[in-house]
Amino acid sequence: GEATFTATATNDGDYQATFSTSAGDMDGATDSATANFEPGATDRLEIITTPDSASEAGSKSTEFVVTRYDANDNAVTDGDLSVDLSTDSSGSNAEFRASNGDSLGGSVTISGGSSTASFYYYDEEAGDHSLTADADGITSDSVTHTVEPAAHTGYSVEPVSLTQEAGTPFEVEVK
């Protein structure tokens, strides 16, 4: 006789099905088939950062990684995908950068054969800023990144020297 079987998998990878008989003159005979399930089309993006999402104003952040997934949470590696990067920061110098510090110009490409792309964030405006990764027809993702105020590096006093009569008030400005 002949039989037809159907298999469905939500995880990508190779799966092997083994069939054996338990009756008649074919008792104990086995055969197997291997099926390869590949990820589906990109459905959503996800942004991850390690170890945390905070940086100092005027400094490059730790690495962010944007990953593309199909509807079953399998990482997708097929074809190039341009991902738009945006922030809600009002800082005039807020930007996304490559690992070497060069500006990415507001987008990053996930290359074919890879499911991820990396970027860094630079901002001189202290506060909590939303960072968003978006691509046409794909569910976007956002994370909150904290930019801490820059460390105080010094001060100046004006005037530097002053001759004043004893008992007379005077003003000094600290900057």
Side-chain angles (χ1 to χ4, degrees), residues 30-103:
T30 63
D31 199 2
S32 64
T34 301
N36 178 277
F37 292 90
E38 295 182 354
T42 300
D43 179 68
R44 69 180 180 86
L45 299 171
E46 182 176 72
I47 302 172
I48 302 288
T49 184
T50 54
D52 59 26
S53 187
S55 60
E56 183 177 287
S59 298
K60 185 176 74 170
S61 71
T62 56
E63 180 180 44
F64 288 89
V65 178
V66 60
T67 306
R68 55 182 167 169
Y69 292 99
D70 70 8
N72 294 305
D73 294 328
N74 297 300
V76 177
T77 59
D78 190 37
D80 291 350
L81 178 66
S82 179
V83 177
D84 295 323
L85 302 172
S86 62
T87 180
D88 66 353
S89 172
S90 60
S92 61
N93 293 317
E95 68 178 356
F96 297 92
R97 294 185 173 181
S99 61
N100 65 3
D102 290 347
S103 176

Short mmCIF file of all heavy atoms in Angstrom, two decimals, residues 30-103:
data_model
loop_
_atom_site.label_atom_id
_atom_site.label_comp_id
_atom_site.label_asym_id
_atom_site.label_seq_id
_atom_site.Cartn_x
_atom_site.Cartn_y
_atom_site.Cartn_z
N THR A 30 12.54 -0.26 7.54
CA THR A 30 12.45 1.18 7.85
C THR A 30 12.92 2.00 6.66
O THR A 30 13.67 1.53 5.81
CB THR A 30 13.32 1.54 9.07
OG1 THR A 30 14.68 1.28 8.76
CG2 THR A 30 12.92 0.78 10.31
N ASP A 31 12.46 3.21 6.65
CA ASP A 31 12.91 4.18 5.67
C ASP A 31 12.73 5.56 6.30
O ASP A 31 11.95 5.73 7.23
CB ASP A 31 12.09 4.07 4.37
CG ASP A 31 12.81 4.73 3.20
OD1 ASP A 31 13.95 5.22 3.38
OD2 ASP A 31 12.25 4.76 2.09
N SER A 32 13.45 6.53 5.82
CA SER A 32 13.33 7.86 6.42
C SER A 32 13.37 8.92 5.33
O SER A 32 13.82 8.68 4.22
CB SER A 32 14.44 8.10 7.45
OG SER A 32 15.70 8.08 6.82
N ALA A 33 12.90 10.10 5.71
CA ALA A 33 12.93 11.26 4.82
C ALA A 33 13.33 12.48 5.65
O ALA A 33 12.97 12.59 6.82
CB ALA A 33 11.56 11.47 4.19
N THR A 34 14.07 13.39 5.05
CA THR A 34 14.47 14.61 5.73
C THR A 34 13.83 15.80 5.04
O THR A 34 13.82 15.89 3.82
CB THR A 34 16.01 14.77 5.71
OG1 THR A 34 16.60 13.64 6.35
CG2 THR A 34 16.44 16.04 6.42
N ALA A 35 13.26 16.68 5.85
CA ALA A 35 12.65 17.90 5.31
C ALA A 35 13.38 19.10 5.91
O ALA A 35 13.70 19.10 7.09
CB ALA A 35 11.17 17.95 5.66
N ASN A 36 13.65 20.10 5.09
CA ASN A 36 14.28 21.32 5.56
C ASN A 36 13.24 22.42 5.55
O ASN A 36 12.66 22.73 4.52
CB ASN A 36 15.46 21.70 4.67
CG ASN A 36 16.08 23.00 5.12
OD1 ASN A 36 15.62 24.07 4.77
ND2 ASN A 36 17.12 22.90 5.92
N PHE A 37 13.00 23.02 6.72
CA PHE A 37 12.07 24.13 6.84
C PHE A 37 12.89 25.41 6.96
O PHE A 37 13.76 25.53 7.82
CB PHE A 37 11.16 23.95 8.07
CG PHE A 37 10.21 22.81 7.94
CD1 PHE A 37 10.56 21.54 8.37
CD2 PHE A 37 8.96 22.99 7.37
CE1 PHE A 37 9.68 20.47 8.25
CE2 PHE A 37 8.07 21.94 7.24
CZ PHE A 37 8.44 20.68 7.68
N GLU A 38 12.63 26.37 6.07
CA GLU A 38 13.34 27.63 6.07
C GLU A 38 12.45 28.72 6.66
O GLU A 38 11.23 28.61 6.62
CB GLU A 38 13.75 27.99 4.64
CG GLU A 38 14.75 27.00 4.06
CD GLU A 38 15.20 27.37 2.67
OE1 GLU A 38 14.65 28.33 2.09
OE2 GLU A 38 16.11 26.70 2.17
N PRO A 39 13.08 29.79 7.20
CA PRO A 39 12.27 30.89 7.74
C PRO A 39 11.37 31.50 6.65
O PRO A 39 11.71 31.47 5.47
CB PRO A 39 13.31 31.91 8.19
CG PRO A 39 14.58 31.15 8.32
CD PRO A 39 14.50 30.04 7.34
N GLY A 40 10.26 32.07 7.09
CA GLY A 40 9.37 32.76 6.17
C GLY A 40 9.86 34.19 5.92
O GLY A 40 10.98 34.55 6.26
N ALA A 41 8.99 35.00 5.36
CA ALA A 41 9.32 36.39 5.08
C ALA A 41 9.47 37.17 6.39
O ALA A 41 8.87 36.83 7.41
CB ALA A 41 8.21 37.02 4.24
N THR A 42 10.25 38.24 6.34
CA THR A 42 10.44 39.08 7.53
C THR A 42 9.12 39.67 7.96
O THR A 42 8.40 40.26 7.16
CB THR A 42 11.46 40.20 7.25
OG1 THR A 42 12.71 39.60 6.89
CG2 THR A 42 11.66 41.06 8.49
N ASP A 43 8.79 39.49 9.24
CA ASP A 43 7.53 39.95 9.81
C ASP A 43 7.73 41.08 10.81
O ASP A 43 6.89 41.96 10.94
CB ASP A 43 6.83 38.77 10.50
CG ASP A 43 5.52 39.16 11.14
OD1 ASP A 43 4.58 39.49 10.39
OD2 ASP A 43 5.46 39.18 12.39
N ARG A 44 8.87 41.04 11.54
CA ARG A 44 9.09 42.03 12.59
C ARG A 44 10.58 42.26 12.81
O ARG A 44 11.41 41.43 12.45
CB ARG A 44 8.43 41.61 13.90
CG ARG A 44 9.07 40.42 14.56
CD ARG A 44 8.39 40.03 15.88
NE ARG A 44 9.05 38.89 16.49
CZ ARG A 44 10.11 38.97 17.29
NH1 ARG A 44 10.63 40.14 17.58
NH2 ARG A 44 10.65 37.88 17.79
N LEU A 45 10.87 43.41 13.42
CA LEU A 45 12.23 43.77 13.81
C LEU A 45 12.31 43.81 15.33
O LEU A 45 11.31 44.08 16.00
CB LEU A 45 12.60 45.15 13.25
CG LEU A 45 12.58 45.28 11.74
CD1 LEU A 45 12.74 46.74 11.32
CD2 LEU A 45 13.68 44.42 11.11
N GLU A 46 13.50 43.56 15.85
CA GLU A 46 13.71 43.64 17.29
C GLU A 46 15.08 44.28 17.55
O GLU A 46 16.07 43.90 16.93
CB GLU A 46 13.66 42.25 17.92
CG GLU A 46 13.84 42.26 19.43
CD GLU A 46 13.69 40.88 20.04
OE1 GLU A 46 14.60 40.05 19.85
OE2 GLU A 46 12.66 40.63 20.68
N ILE A 47 15.10 45.25 18.48
CA ILE A 47 16.35 45.92 18.87
C ILE A 47 16.80 45.38 20.23
O ILE A 47 16.02 45.34 21.16
CB ILE A 47 16.16 47.45 18.99
CG1 ILE A 47 15.65 48.04 17.68
CG2 ILE A 47 17.47 48.11 19.41
CD1 ILE A 47 15.26 49.50 17.80
N ILE A 48 18.06 45.00 20.30
CA ILE A 48 18.66 44.51 21.55
C ILE A 48 19.93 45.32 21.82
O ILE A 48 20.66 45.65 20.89
CB ILE A 48 19.04 43.01 21.43
CG1 ILE A 48 17.85 42.16 21.07
CG2 ILE A 48 19.72 42.52 22.70
CD1 ILE A 48 16.85 41.97 22.17
N THR A 49 20.20 45.61 23.08
CA THR A 49 21.47 46.23 23.46
C THR A 49 22.02 45.52 24.70
O THR A 49 21.25 45.03 25.51
CB THR A 49 21.32 47.74 23.74
OG1 THR A 49 22.61 48.28 24.01
CG2 THR A 49 20.42 48.02 24.91
N THR A 50 23.33 45.45 24.78
CA THR A 50 23.97 44.87 25.94
C THR A 50 25.13 45.75 26.35
O THR A 50 25.77 46.34 25.49
CB THR A 50 24.50 43.45 25.64
OG1 THR A 50 25.34 43.52 24.52
CG2 THR A 50 23.39 42.46 25.41
N PRO A 51 25.49 45.87 27.61
CA PRO A 51 24.80 45.29 28.74
C PRO A 51 23.57 46.09 29.16
O PRO A 51 22.64 45.54 29.72
CB PRO A 51 25.86 45.30 29.85
CG PRO A 51 26.71 46.48 29.52
CD PRO A 51 26.71 46.58 28.00
N ASP A 52 23.57 47.40 28.91
CA ASP A 52 22.39 48.19 29.24
C ASP A 52 22.25 49.30 28.20
O ASP A 52 23.06 49.41 27.30
CB ASP A 52 22.45 48.77 30.65
CG ASP A 52 23.66 49.66 30.86
OD1 ASP A 52 24.18 50.24 29.88
OD2 ASP A 52 24.10 49.80 32.01
N SER A 53 21.24 50.08 28.36
CA SER A 53 20.98 51.14 27.38
C SER A 53 21.13 52.52 28.01
O SER A 53 20.17 53.22 28.22
CB SER A 53 19.59 50.96 26.78
OG SER A 53 19.41 51.87 25.72
N ALA A 54 22.37 52.88 28.32
CA ALA A 54 22.65 54.21 28.85
C ALA A 54 24.02 54.64 28.35
O ALA A 54 24.92 53.81 28.18
CB ALA A 54 22.61 54.23 30.37
N SER A 55 24.17 55.92 28.08
CA SER A 55 25.46 56.47 27.68
C SER A 55 25.56 57.89 28.22
O SER A 55 24.58 58.45 28.69
CB SER A 55 25.61 56.45 26.15
OG SER A 55 24.61 57.23 25.53
N GLU A 56 26.75 58.45 28.15
CA GLU A 56 26.98 59.82 28.61
C GLU A 56 26.81 60.77 27.43
O GLU A 56 27.21 60.45 26.30
CB GLU A 56 28.38 59.93 29.17
CG GLU A 56 28.69 61.29 29.75
CD GLU A 56 30.08 61.35 30.37
OE1 GLU A 56 30.27 60.77 31.45
OE2 GLU A 56 30.96 61.97 29.73
N ALA A 57 26.21 61.92 27.68
CA ALA A 57 26.03 62.92 26.62
C ALA A 57 27.37 63.20 25.96
O ALA A 57 28.39 63.34 26.63
CB ALA A 57 25.44 64.19 27.20
N GLY A 58 27.37 63.22 24.63
CA GLY A 58 28.60 63.47 23.88
C GLY A 58 29.46 62.25 23.69
O GLY A 58 30.58 62.36 23.18
N SER A 59 28.96 61.05 24.05
CA SER A 59 29.71 59.81 23.88
C SER A 59 28.88 58.80 23.10
O SER A 59 27.65 58.79 23.17
CB SER A 59 30.05 59.18 25.24
OG SER A 59 30.86 60.05 25.99
N LYS A 60 29.56 57.92 22.38
CA LYS A 60 28.90 56.85 21.63
C LYS A 60 28.36 55.80 22.61
O LYS A 60 29.01 55.46 23.59
CB LYS A 60 29.89 56.22 20.66
CG LYS A 60 29.31 55.19 19.73
CD LYS A 60 30.36 54.70 18.73
CE LYS A 60 31.36 53.79 19.41
NZ LYS A 60 32.26 53.12 18.49
N SER A 61 27.17 55.30 22.34
CA SER A 61 26.54 54.29 23.20
C SER A 61 27.21 52.93 23.06
O SER A 61 28.10 52.74 22.23
CB SER A 61 25.06 54.13 22.81
OG SER A 61 24.97 53.49 21.54
N THR A 62 26.74 51.97 23.85
CA THR A 62 27.10 50.58 23.63
C THR A 62 26.39 50.14 22.35
O THR A 62 25.52 50.82 21.82
CB THR A 62 26.67 49.68 24.81
OG1 THR A 62 25.27 49.84 25.01
CG2 THR A 62 27.42 50.03 26.07
N GLU A 63 26.72 48.97 21.87
CA GLU A 63 26.19 48.46 20.61
C GLU A 63 24.70 48.09 20.72
O GLU A 63 24.28 47.47 21.68
CB GLU A 63 26.98 47.22 20.19
CG GLU A 63 26.52 46.60 18.89
CD GLU A 63 27.33 45.37 18.52
OE1 GLU A 63 27.60 44.53 19.42
OE2 GLU A 63 27.70 45.25 17.35
N PHE A 64 23.95 48.48 19.71
CA PHE A 64 22.58 48.03 19.52
C PHE A 64 22.59 47.05 18.35
O PHE A 64 23.32 47.25 17.38
CB PHE A 64 21.64 49.19 19.17
CG PHE A 64 21.36 50.11 20.31
CD1 PHE A 64 22.18 51.20 20.56
CD2 PHE A 64 20.27 49.90 21.14
CE1 PHE A 64 21.93 52.06 21.61
CE2 PHE A 64 20.01 50.75 22.20
CZ PHE A 64 20.84 51.84 22.43
N VAL A 65 21.77 46.01 18.42
CA VAL A 65 21.65 45.04 17.33
C VAL A 65 20.18 44.95 16.94
O VAL A 65 19.32 44.73 17.79
CB VAL A 65 22.17 43.64 17.75
CG1 VAL A 65 21.97 42.64 16.63
CG2 VAL A 65 23.64 43.72 18.16
N VAL A 66 19.90 45.16 15.65
CA VAL A 66 18.54 44.99 15.14
C VAL A 66 18.50 43.65 14.39
O VAL A 66 19.38 43.36 13.58
CB VAL A 66 18.08 46.17 14.25
CG1 VAL A 66 18.97 46.35 13.04
CG2 VAL A 66 16.63 46.01 13.83
N THR A 67 17.51 42.82 14.74
CA THR A 67 17.36 41.48 14.17
C THR A 67 16.02 41.39 13.46
O THR A 67 15.02 41.91 13.95
CB THR A 67 17.44 40.40 15.27
OG1 THR A 67 18.65 40.57 16.00
CG2 THR A 67 17.40 39.00 14.68
N ARG A 68 15.99 40.69 12.32
CA ARG A 68 14.73 40.48 11.59
C ARG A 68 14.24 39.05 11.83
O ARG A 68 15.03 38.09 11.78
CB ARG A 68 14.90 40.77 10.11
CG ARG A 68 16.02 39.99 9.44
CD ARG A 68 16.14 40.38 7.99
NE ARG A 68 17.37 39.89 7.40
CZ ARG A 68 17.63 39.92 6.12
NH1 ARG A 68 16.75 40.40 5.28
NH2 ARG A 68 18.78 39.47 5.66
N TYR A 69 12.93 38.92 12.09
CA TYR A 69 12.30 37.63 12.39
C TYR A 69 11.08 37.41 11.50
O TYR A 69 10.43 38.37 11.10
CB TYR A 69 11.83 37.59 13.86
CG TYR A 69 12.95 37.59 14.86
CD1 TYR A 69 13.34 38.75 15.51
CD2 TYR A 69 13.62 36.40 15.18
CE1 TYR A 69 14.36 38.75 16.44
CE2 TYR A 69 14.64 36.40 16.12
CZ TYR A 69 15.01 37.57 16.75
OH TYR A 69 16.02 37.56 17.66
N ASP A 70 10.76 36.14 11.28
CA ASP A 70 9.51 35.81 10.59
C ASP A 70 8.38 35.72 11.62
O ASP A 70 8.60 35.94 12.82
CB ASP A 70 9.64 34.53 9.74
CG ASP A 70 9.77 33.24 10.54
OD1 ASP A 70 9.61 33.25 11.78
OD2 ASP A 70 10.03 32.20 9.92
N ALA A 71 7.17 35.39 11.17
CA ALA A 71 6.01 35.34 12.06
C ALA A 71 6.12 34.26 13.13
O ALA A 71 5.41 34.29 14.13
CB ALA A 71 4.74 35.13 11.23
N ASN A 72 7.03 33.29 12.94
CA ASN A 72 7.23 32.22 13.92
C ASN A 72 8.49 32.41 14.76
O ASN A 72 8.98 31.47 15.37
CB ASN A 72 7.26 30.86 13.20
CG ASN A 72 5.94 30.53 12.57
OD1 ASN A 72 4.91 30.52 13.24
ND2 ASN A 72 5.94 30.28 11.27
N ASP A 73 9.03 33.62 14.77
CA ASP A 73 10.22 33.99 15.55
C ASP A 73 11.50 33.32 15.09
O ASP A 73 12.44 33.15 15.87
CB ASP A 73 10.00 33.75 17.04
CG ASP A 73 8.94 34.68 17.61
OD1 ASP A 73 8.82 35.81 17.11
OD2 ASP A 73 8.24 34.27 18.56
N ASN A 74 11.58 32.95 13.81
CA ASN A 74 12.82 32.45 13.24
C ASN A 74 13.59 33.62 12.67
O ASN A 74 13.02 34.50 12.02
CB ASN A 74 12.54 31.45 12.11
CG ASN A 74 11.82 30.22 12.60
OD1 ASN A 74 12.31 29.51 13.45
ND2 ASN A 74 10.63 29.98 12.07
N ALA A 75 14.89 33.66 12.91
CA ALA A 75 15.72 34.72 12.33
C ALA A 75 15.76 34.55 10.81
O ALA A 75 15.94 33.44 10.31
CB ALA A 75 17.13 34.64 12.90
N VAL A 76 15.55 35.65 10.09
CA VAL A 76 15.50 35.64 8.63
C VAL A 76 16.83 36.14 8.07
O VAL A 76 17.34 37.17 8.53
CB VAL A 76 14.34 36.52 8.11
CG1 VAL A 76 14.33 36.57 6.59
CG2 VAL A 76 13.01 36.01 8.64
N THR A 77 17.39 35.42 7.09
CA THR A 77 18.68 35.81 6.51
C THR A 77 18.59 36.05 5.00
O THR A 77 19.60 36.34 4.36
CB THR A 77 19.73 34.71 6.76
OG1 THR A 77 19.28 33.48 6.17
CG2 THR A 77 19.97 34.51 8.25
N ASP A 78 17.41 35.94 4.42
CA ASP A 78 17.25 36.03 2.98
C ASP A 78 17.19 37.47 2.48
O ASP A 78 16.35 38.25 2.90
CB ASP A 78 15.97 35.30 2.57
CG ASP A 78 15.85 35.13 1.07
OD1 ASP A 78 16.87 34.90 0.42
OD2 ASP A 78 14.71 35.25 0.55
N GLY A 79 18.11 37.85 1.59
CA GLY A 79 18.08 39.16 0.94
C GLY A 79 18.51 40.30 1.85
O GLY A 79 18.59 40.17 3.06
N ASP A 80 18.80 41.44 1.22
CA ASP A 80 19.14 42.66 1.96
C ASP A 80 17.88 43.34 2.46
O ASP A 80 16.85 43.30 1.78
CB ASP A 80 19.89 43.64 1.06
CG ASP A 80 21.29 43.18 0.69
OD1 ASP A 80 21.77 42.18 1.27
OD2 ASP A 80 21.90 43.82 -0.18
N LEU A 81 17.95 43.97 3.63
CA LEU A 81 16.83 44.74 4.17
C LEU A 81 17.35 46.06 4.71
O LEU A 81 18.21 46.09 5.59
CB LEU A 81 16.12 43.96 5.29
CG LEU A 81 14.95 44.70 5.95
CD1 LEU A 81 13.81 44.89 4.96
CD2 LEU A 81 14.48 43.94 7.18
N SER A 82 16.83 47.18 4.16
CA SER A 82 17.17 48.50 4.65
C SER A 82 16.25 48.84 5.82
O SER A 82 15.03 48.77 5.69
CB SER A 82 17.02 49.54 3.54
OG SER A 82 17.33 50.82 4.04
N VAL A 83 16.85 49.20 6.94
CA VAL A 83 16.10 49.52 8.16
C VAL A 83 16.30 50.99 8.48
O VAL A 83 17.44 51.46 8.61
CB VAL A 83 16.58 48.64 9.34
CG1 VAL A 83 15.87 49.02 10.63
CG2 VAL A 83 16.40 47.16 9.02
N ASP A 84 15.21 51.73 8.59
CA ASP A 84 15.27 53.15 8.96
C ASP A 84 15.40 53.25 10.47
O ASP A 84 14.70 52.57 11.22
CB ASP A 84 14.00 53.88 8.51
CG ASP A 84 13.87 53.91 7.00
OD1 ASP A 84 14.90 54.04 6.31
OD2 ASP A 84 12.73 53.78 6.51
N LEU A 85 16.30 54.13 10.92
CA LEU A 85 16.52 54.36 12.35
C LEU A 85 16.09 55.78 12.67
O LEU A 85 16.42 56.72 11.94
CB LEU A 85 18.01 54.18 12.69
CG LEU A 85 18.60 52.81 12.35
CD1 LEU A 85 20.12 52.83 12.55
CD2 LEU A 85 17.96 51.72 13.19
N SER A 86 15.36 55.95 13.78
CA SER A 86 14.91 57.29 14.18
C SER A 86 14.92 57.42 15.70
O SER A 86 14.93 56.42 16.42
CB SER A 86 13.51 57.58 13.63
OG SER A 86 12.57 56.66 14.15
N THR A 87 14.93 58.67 16.16
CA THR A 87 14.89 58.97 17.58
C THR A 87 13.94 60.14 17.83
O THR A 87 13.71 60.94 16.93
CB THR A 87 16.30 59.34 18.12
OG1 THR A 87 16.21 59.64 19.51
CG2 THR A 87 16.89 60.53 17.39
N ASP A 88 13.40 60.19 19.04
CA ASP A 88 12.53 61.32 19.40
C ASP A 88 13.32 62.43 20.10
O ASP A 88 12.74 63.40 20.57
CB ASP A 88 11.36 60.86 20.27
CG ASP A 88 11.79 60.34 21.63
OD1 ASP A 88 13.02 60.21 21.89
OD2 ASP A 88 10.91 60.05 22.45
N SER A 89 14.64 62.33 20.13
CA SER A 89 15.48 63.34 20.77
C SER A 89 15.37 64.66 20.03
O SER A 89 15.32 64.70 18.80
CB SER A 89 16.94 62.89 20.79
OG SER A 89 17.77 63.94 21.26
N SER A 90 15.38 65.76 20.78
CA SER A 90 15.40 67.09 20.17
C SER A 90 16.83 67.62 20.05
O SER A 90 17.04 68.74 19.61
CB SER A 90 14.54 68.06 20.99
OG SER A 90 15.05 68.15 22.31
N GLY A 91 17.80 66.79 20.43
CA GLY A 91 19.21 67.20 20.34
C GLY A 91 19.62 67.42 18.89
O GLY A 91 19.35 66.58 18.02
N SER A 92 20.29 68.53 18.62
CA SER A 92 20.66 68.86 17.24
C SER A 92 21.75 67.93 16.68
O SER A 92 21.91 67.83 15.47
CB SER A 92 21.13 70.31 17.15
OG SER A 92 22.26 70.52 17.96
N ASN A 93 22.48 67.24 17.53
CA ASN A 93 23.54 66.34 17.07
C ASN A 93 23.22 64.87 17.29
O ASN A 93 24.12 64.03 17.21
CB ASN A 93 24.87 66.71 17.75
CG ASN A 93 25.37 68.06 17.32
OD1 ASN A 93 25.33 68.38 16.13
ND2 ASN A 93 25.80 68.88 18.25
N ALA A 94 21.96 64.54 17.56
CA ALA A 94 21.58 63.14 17.75
C ALA A 94 21.73 62.40 16.43
O ALA A 94 21.26 62.88 15.39
CB ALA A 94 20.14 63.04 18.25
N GLU A 95 22.41 61.24 16.47
CA GLU A 95 22.56 60.45 15.25
C GLU A 95 22.91 59.01 15.56
O GLU A 95 23.35 58.68 16.66
CB GLU A 95 23.61 61.07 14.33
CG GLU A 95 25.03 61.00 14.85
CD GLU A 95 26.05 61.58 13.86
OE1 GLU A 95 25.68 61.98 12.75
OE2 GLU A 95 27.23 61.64 14.23
N PHE A 96 22.74 58.17 14.54
CA PHE A 96 23.10 56.77 14.62
C PHE A 96 24.45 56.61 13.93
O PHE A 96 24.70 57.21 12.89
CB PHE A 96 22.03 55.91 13.96
CG PHE A 96 20.71 56.03 14.68
CD1 PHE A 96 19.77 56.97 14.31
CD2 PHE A 96 20.44 55.21 15.77
CE1 PHE A 96 18.57 57.10 15.00
CE2 PHE A 96 19.25 55.33 16.46
CZ PHE A 96 18.31 56.27 16.07
N ARG A 97 25.32 55.80 14.54
CA ARG A 97 26.68 55.67 14.04
C ARG A 97 27.09 54.21 13.85
O ARG A 97 26.55 53.32 14.48
CB ARG A 97 27.66 56.34 15.01
CG ARG A 97 27.47 57.85 15.09
CD ARG A 97 28.51 58.49 15.94
NE ARG A 97 28.42 59.95 15.87
CZ ARG A 97 29.23 60.75 16.52
NH1 ARG A 97 30.19 60.27 17.29
NH2 ARG A 97 29.09 62.07 16.40
N ALA A 98 28.10 54.02 13.00
CA ALA A 98 28.74 52.72 12.82
C ALA A 98 29.74 52.52 13.95
O ALA A 98 30.04 53.45 14.71
CB ALA A 98 29.44 52.69 11.47
N SER A 99 30.31 51.33 14.06
CA SER A 99 31.26 51.04 15.13
C SER A 99 32.49 51.95 15.07
O SER A 99 33.08 52.25 16.10
CB SER A 99 31.68 49.57 15.10
OG SER A 99 32.31 49.28 13.86
N ASN A 100 32.86 52.43 13.88
CA ASN A 100 34.03 53.31 13.75
C ASN A 100 33.70 54.77 14.03
O ASN A 100 34.56 55.63 13.94
CB ASN A 100 34.65 53.17 12.36
CG ASN A 100 33.73 53.65 11.25
OD1 ASN A 100 32.62 54.15 11.49
ND2 ASN A 100 34.17 53.48 10.01
N GLY A 101 32.42 55.06 14.37
CA GLY A 101 32.01 56.42 14.71
C GLY A 101 31.42 57.21 13.56
O GLY A 101 30.90 58.29 13.76
N ASP A 102 31.49 56.68 12.32
CA ASP A 102 30.92 57.37 11.17
C ASP A 102 29.39 57.37 11.25
O ASP A 102 28.79 56.40 11.71
CB ASP A 102 31.34 56.71 9.85
CG ASP A 102 32.81 56.90 9.53
OD1 ASP A 102 33.45 57.75 10.18
OD2 ASP A 102 33.32 56.18 8.64
N SER A 103 28.79 58.44 10.75
CA SER A 103 27.33 58.54 10.74
C SER A 103 26.73 57.52 9.78
O SER A 103 27.26 57.29 8.69
CB SER A 103 26.90 59.94 10.30
OG SER A 103 25.49 60.01 10.20
#
